[in-house]
């Protein structure tokens, strides 16, 4: 009896500490992208379930613009009380420091890692007007028609921009970059055939590939995509070195108390384990993938160096 009572008291104490650690006002997830696309998808996948797990109001606030810098600066300057969190896009978090000589935020000093949310490989998709059916045929066509094909990106400095420049570098091809403000505008022009190539994450193109409005030539990951099982990987298609994966993670402003960060991270872990979150993520073509604060911090450090090297080698600028 005493043992049961002690366990009950411990659970009550833990629950009370959990509740006390949360901010008194709603938790706002700041998204640096417009609605649609992998970043907004991740925010909404975790947001609803996180609110249920924490028994706390969680809202999503899209703040696009400035290659993500508007949202990042906003969160960096927010009170470190857990009420304002950043839903961070990997390309912004690890590439912007190499793209902007005077960045108004620092990826390490201004943010505290909370949890990795989802990861998404990239799809090499083309408009049906291009006379190609395989990745090898696309590469051959681009070599025969240098500078005559346009490719879309979600904006200067986005992963679709940097990733496609990496693709050009590895294949010795040339395409014209057409940047957009988010996936929604980009996919509209790709579907219309005004832009012919889009290397992007599954949420932007998956339904259009399945309906036949776009052709997917390869998955830039280690394995085939479960929602597009007939599409080969880049390795299977003859380009093994071209691997491109985006991730989305949650960060708090620097100075957020470690106990609060841990509570939020544990809440995210439980939220991502719910059947609703997994089902919603799978339907959108992204993979739920939790990492704790320490592991996420290690990932950021590793990719900061990697993308700086890629950007410098490809001579990518925002001019």
């Amino acid at each position: 009896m005493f043992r049961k009572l002690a366990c009950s008291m411990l659970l009550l104490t833990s629950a009370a500490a959990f509740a006390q650690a949360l901010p008194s006002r709603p938790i706002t997830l700041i998204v640096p992208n417009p609605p649609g696309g992998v970043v907004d998808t991740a925010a909404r996948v975790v947001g609803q379930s996180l609110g249920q797990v924490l028994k706390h109001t969680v809202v999503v606030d899209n703040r696009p613009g400035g290659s993500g810098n508007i949202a990042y600066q906003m969160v960096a300057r927010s009170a470190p009380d857990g009420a304002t969190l950043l839903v961070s896009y990997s390309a912004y978090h690890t590439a912007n420091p190499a793209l902007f000589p005077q960045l108004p935020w620092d990826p390490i000093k201004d943010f505290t890692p909370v949890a990795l949310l989802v990861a998404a490989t990239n799809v090499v998709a083309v408009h049906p007007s291009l006379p190609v059916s395989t990745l090898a045929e696309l590469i051959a066509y681009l070599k025969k028609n240098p500078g005559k094909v346009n490719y879309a990106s979600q904006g200067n400095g986005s992963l679709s921009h940097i990733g496609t420049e990496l693709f050009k570098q590895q294949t010795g091809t040339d395409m014209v970059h057409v940047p957009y403000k988010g996936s929604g505008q980009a996919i509209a022009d790709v579907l219309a055939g005004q832009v012919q190539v889009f290397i992007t994450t599954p949420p932007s193109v998956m339904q259009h590939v399945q309906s036949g409005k776009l052709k997917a030539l390869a998955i830039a990951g280690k394995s085939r995509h479960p929602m597009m099982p007939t599409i080969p990987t880049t390795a299977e298609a003859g380009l093994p070195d071209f691997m491109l994966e985006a991730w989305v993670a949650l960060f708090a402003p620097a100075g957020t108390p470690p106990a609060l960060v841990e509570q939020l991270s544990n809440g995210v872990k439980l939220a991502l384990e719910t059947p609703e979150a997994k089902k919603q993520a799978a339907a959108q073509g992204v993979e739920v993938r939790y990492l704790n604060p320490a592991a996420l911090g290690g990932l950021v450090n590793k990719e900061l160096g990697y993308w700086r090297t890629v950007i410098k080698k490809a001579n990518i600028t925002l001019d």
Side-chain angles (χ1 to χ4, degrees):
M1 178 63 72
F2 177 78
R3 186 174 182 179
K4 289 183 178 180
L5 180 60
C7 288
S8 297
M9 291 298 293
L10 179 59
L11 288 173
L12 288 172
T13 301
S14 298
F18 186 79
Q20 290 172 6
L22 297 175
S24 59
R25 62 185 189 277
I27 295 173
T28 299
L29 307 182
I30 303 297
V31 178
N33 301 71
V38 67
V39 187
D40 183 67
T41 294
R44 298 181 191 282
V45 164
V46 75
Q48 183 176 0
S49 296
L50 182 61
Q52 294 171 352
V53 167
L54 299 179
K55 300 188 185 304
H56 201 84
T57 301
V58 177
V59 298
V60 175
D61 184 2
N62 296 84
R63 294 295 183 100
S67 296
N69 292 327
I70 293 174
Y72 282 70
Q73 188 173 14
M74 175 184 174
V75 177
R77 295 179 176 180
S78 296
D81 59 2
T84 305
L85 304 175
L86 175 68
V87 181
S88 182
Y89 172 39
S90 57
Y92 290 155
H93 207 112
T94 61
N96 278 15
L99 292 168
F100 290 87
Q102 294 182 331
L103 199 63
W105 52 271
D106 185 279
I108 302 297
K109 296 178 181 179
D110 289 335
F111 298 103
T112 298
V114 175
L116 185 67
L117 305 179
V118 304
T121 188
N122 277 250
V123 184
V124 181
V126 301
H127 189 266
S129 62
L130 279 185
V132 301
S133 297
T134 67
L135 187 64
E137 289 178 358
L138 172 64
I139 294 170
Y141 182 83
L142 293 174
K143 288 183 176 180
K144 290 180 180 179
N145 298 276
K148 295 182 180 180
V149 174
N150 298 330
Y151 81 85
S153 81
Q154 290 98 342
N156 287 325
S158 64
L159 188 63
S160 58
H161 175 203
I162 299 170
T164 309
E165 290 298 316
L166 181 62
F167 173 84
K168 288 168 53 179
Q169 181 183 11
Q170 291 186 358
T171 58
T173 56
D174 182 28
M175 291 184 283
V176 178
H177 178 213
V178 182
Y180 292 85
K181 294 181 179 179
S183 297
Q185 295 179 9
I187 195 62
D189 275 6
V190 175
L191 288 170
Q194 296 179 25
V195 184
Q196 296 79 40
V197 178
F198 196 16
I199 300 179
T200 188
T201 48
S204 299
V205 298
M206 188 170 63
Q207 64 175 327
H208 306 299
V209 169
Q210 293 169 339
S211 68
K213 294 180 180 179
L214 294 177
K215 292 189 288 187
L217 304 183
I219 304 295
K222 295 180 180 179
S223 58
R224 295 193 178 196
H225 196 281
M227 302 297 288
M228 294 179 283
T230 63
I231 309 304
T233 64
T234 47
E236 292 172 329
L239 194 62
D241 292 335
F242 184 65
M243 305 287 285
L244 193 62
E245 184 177 75
W247 51 257
V248 182
L250 201 63
F251 290 81
T256 302
L260 178 53
V261 171
E262 182 180 2
Q263 299 291 4
L264 291 169
S265 187
N266 290 339
V268 169
K269 185 175 186 296
L270 292 174
L272 294 177
E273 290 173 350
T274 62
E276 295 81 4
K278 291 182 178 180
K279 182 179 179 180
Q280 188 178 357
Q284 294 295 328
V286 298
E287 175 192 346
V288 169
R289 189 186 297 177
Y290 171 80
L291 287 180
N292 64 27
L296 175 57
L299 176 65
V300 170
N301 283 325
K302 178 181 177 181
E303 293 210 355
L304 280 170
Y306 173 77
W307 287 113
R308 183 175 293 278
T309 300
V310 169
I311 289 167
K312 183 177 180 180
K313 186 175 181 181
N315 194 30
I316 298 171
T317 68
L318 298 182
D319 296 335

